[in-house]
Amino acid sequence: DLSAALGCPGQLDSQIYLEALDHVVEAARDASVAAGILVGDVENVEGHLDRGFSFVGVASDSALLRRGATTAARGASRRN
C-alpha cells in the first residue's frame, strides 16, 4: 500500500502519507479525473472526502466477509 511504499507502513496519520494523498488529489484534479481511495473503516470516509477525494470505498470484500462472520459467530455463541 502507499504508506508502506513511503516507508511508513500503517502510519495513516504520518505527514509524508497525508502529503502524498494531497498530491494524488491534486494530480487527479489536474487531469480532470476522479480521485478515489479505499479505506478500512467507515469512520475514515468523511476525512478523505474533506481531503478532496471524489469517492471512497470502504473495506475489502474479505474484510467485510470476516466482519460479517465474526458478528454471526458472536450472535450464535450468545444463544448457547
Side-chain angles (χ1 to χ4, degrees):
D1 83 349
L2 180 58
S3 67
L6 294 170
C8 54
Q11 298 174 27
L12 304 182
D13 59 350
S14 74
Q15 191 62 35
I16 192 168
Y17 177 75
L18 296 174
E19 288 173 1
L21 292 183
D22 292 339
H23 180 73
V24 168
V25 169
E26 183 180 333
R29 279 195 188 126
D30 290 348
S32 298
V33 297
I37 191 166
L38 178 66
V39 298
D41 215 301
V42 71
E43 287 83 22
N44 297 317
V45 171
E46 182 123 5
H48 285 84
L49 291 173
D50 290 345
R51 187 161 225 103
F53 284 92
S54 303
F55 62 94
V56 179
V58 179
S60 63
D61 54 352
S62 60
L64 292 170
L65 286 169
R66 184 180 64 245
R67 282 188 202 152
T70 300
T71 300
R74 285 183 183 146
S77 68
R78 287 188 206 136
R79 295 176 188 214
N80 293 328

